[in-house]
Amino acid sequence: MRRLLLILLAALVLFQLVACSGAKNANDTSVEGVDYATFRDVPGVTAEEIAAIEELAKRTSFFTYGMTMSTECFRDSEDSTTKGYSVLFCEWLTEFIGIRFRPVIYNW
């Protein structure tokens, strides 16, 4: 039994090393961890798209990001604030686009 556990442990460690090493080679041109401060910094965004987003920013003060109650969007039991991934995503969108995104929980 002990020998089987050692073999399984060794296989698990070997699997983790192989899986985490990634397949990098000299011809790999991908860029990891690229951060764009705003939508204007994204390659390929046209002047028309920038103008359209700026026009939306002039016309509205916020967008509603509707979600159903789930693990991605829920109310905190202590203070009833909205929590979850959707809240973080809305914060990122607000910073990235410059228009406030407000998460709202909707029922079906």
Side-chain angles (χ1 to χ4, degrees), residues 18-58:
V18 170
C20 293
S21 66
K24 296 275 183 186
N25 61 42
N27 296 328
D28 188 4
T29 58
S30 64
V31 179
E32 292 183 29
V34 175
D35 290 326
Y36 302 111
T38 70
F39 67 93
R40 292 173 185 87
D41 301 330
V42 176
V45 174
T46 65
E48 293 86 20
E49 292 166 336
I50 292 172
I53 292 171
E54 289 171 346
E55 183 63 30
L56 279 173
K58 290 177 188 174

Side-chain angles (χ1 to χ4, degrees), residues 6 8 14 17 24-25 28 31 35 41 51 53 55 60 63-65 68-69 78 81 87 89-90 102 104:
L6 287 173
L8 288 173
L14 181 62
L17 289 173
K24 296 275 183 186
N25 61 42
D28 188 4
V31 179
D35 290 326
D41 301 330
I53 292 171
E55 183 63 30
T60 186
F63 287 112
T64 300
Y65 187 83
T68 56
M69 184 92 67
E78 293 179 11
T81 58
V87 173
F89 184 62
C90 285
R102 186 181 66 169
V104 176

Side-chain angles (χ1 to χ4, degrees), residues 55-94:
E55 183 63 30
L56 279 173
K58 290 177 188 174
R59 287 199 227 170
T60 186
S61 57
F62 67 90
F63 287 112
T64 300
Y65 187 83
M67 291 288 297
T68 56
M69 184 92 67
S70 69
T71 57
E72 294 181 4
C73 193
F74 56 92
R75 286 195 179 83
D76 190 309
S77 60
E78 293 179 11
D79 61 2
S80 295
T81 58
T82 306
K83 303 276 185 171
Y85 173 79
S86 297
V87 173
L88 299 174
F89 184 62
C90 285
E91 290 171 2
W92 178 81
L93 279 172
T94 297

